[in-house]
Amino acid sequence: MEFQDVVRRRRMVRRFTDEPVPPQAVDRMLRNAVRAPNAGFTQGWAFVVLDTPDGVARFWSATSPRAVAGAGADGVGAAGGAGEGDPGAAAEAGAAAEAAGGARENRWLTGMRTAPVVVVVLTSREAYLRRYAEDDKARASAQAAGDGDAPWDVPYWHVDAGMASLLMLQTAVDEGLGACFFGVPPGQVEALREAFEVPDEFLVTGVVAVGHAADPAPREGAGGPGAGASPSGGSPTRRPRRPLEHVVHRGGW
């Protein structure tokens, strides 16, 4: 597929068919992910690949709001955005939690559970601190002004893991697959760690769900508020994409 087609077709898919995902497609996604730019070539990321029904079921068991006893609506907010300019696609699951605890099924959660492959994207802050304490980076680290013992005020460990995630999303499109990036509710992070024995050093940046899209792809030039709006009711159908001239400032603000 031409690169511009990959960019144009990439969208967050929230419902999948039961068609299996070729293992070689997942392998290609991961090979491309580790080609992402990363500060100091630290490569502080890690990926937990769940591509069996049992593994995927364990993931949802650990991360669904009901996995935390007594968690109410305040305990299941999403840790990361999952929609196009919409920080709440993952939070839709959290919003479904009832005050008495547990959660009721909702459209987002029901759809996402159909994904046959789930990749948990992890990153290590400690790896970046170690890397920038090495001789070839010590000067840059000393010159940078940051908070605490980190030389940056931007968490580049999460930035780099996000770049790797985007390459996975784009590769999925090129493979004829659908994918969605979403966050893990803070109240479920420890349950996820325990379920898959994630080392304490690693933080959860987000999750990439992969499969064959069950809903139709957006039509080129489709009507509605957003260009190429999806008939499935994705974010571009609810709010327009901001014009380039509103977000690009040449030569200054």
Side-chain angles (χ1 to χ4, degrees):
M1 190 180 295
E2 292 292 331
F3 176 72
Q4 200 58 42
D5 289 336
V6 170
V7 173
R8 179 175 54 83
R9 292 171 181 264
R10 195 223 46 82
R11 63 192 179 98
M12 296 301 188
V13 173
R14 300 180 177 91
R15 183 174 293 274
F16 305 87
T17 70
D18 57 4
E19 185 178 353
V21 173
Q24 59 269 27
V26 178
D27 290 345
R28 183 174 173 234
M29 291 172 62
L30 295 166
R31 286 197 304 270
N32 286 350
V34 298
R35 302 287 299 188
N38 55 105
F41 204 51
T42 302
Q43 306 171 80
W45 44 49
F47 309 90
V48 176
V49 181
L50 307 173
D51 55 4
T52 66
D54 176 67
V56 173
R58 287 169 58 210
F59 169 82
W60 289 113
S61 177
T63 60
S64 296
R66 66 167 57 90
V68 175
D74 292 338
V76 292
E84 312 291 13
D86 176 7
E92 288 176 31
E98 298 175 338
R104 65 175 179 268
E105 292 294 315
N106 61 77
R107 181 179 178 185
W108 184 89
L109 191 56
T110 300
M112 292 301 296
R113 281 178 169 168
T114 62
V117 177
V118 170
V119 180
V120 182
V121 182
L122 306 169
T123 189
S124 169
R125 174 180 181 274
E126 299 305 315
Y128 284 76
L129 296 181
R130 290 193 297 267
R131 173 69 183 101
Y132 276 80
E134 295 177 11
D135 290 344
D136 64 324
K137 291 296 182 182
R139 182 177 178 183
S141 178
Q143 290 176 337
D147 296 328
D149 59 349
W152 322 274
D153 57 0
V154 173
Y156 286 106
W157 38 93
H158 285 305
V159 172
D160 293 349
M163 291 184 180
S165 299
L166 177 57
L167 284 177
M168 283 194 282
L169 296 175
Q170 290 181 322
T171 305
V173 174
D174 198 48
E175 289 283 343
L177 300 168
C180 183
F181 178 88
F182 60 96
V184 176
Q188 272 70 51
V189 171
E190 288 308 313
L192 173 63
R193 288 181 176 281
E194 182 178 349
F196 297 102
E197 300 180 340
V198 176
D200 291 341
E201 177 178 330
F202 285 90
L203 308 171
V204 179
T205 296
V207 183
V208 177
V210 187
H212 292 269
D215 52 347
R219 292 180 290 110
E220 180 68 19
S230 169
S232 62
S235 298
T237 67
R238 297 192 297 271
R239 55 186 298 157
R241 192 178 303 277
R242 296 180 65 190
L244 208 59
E245 58 269 23
H246 289 187
V247 298
V248 176
H249 308 277
R250 302 184 186 277
W253 188 271

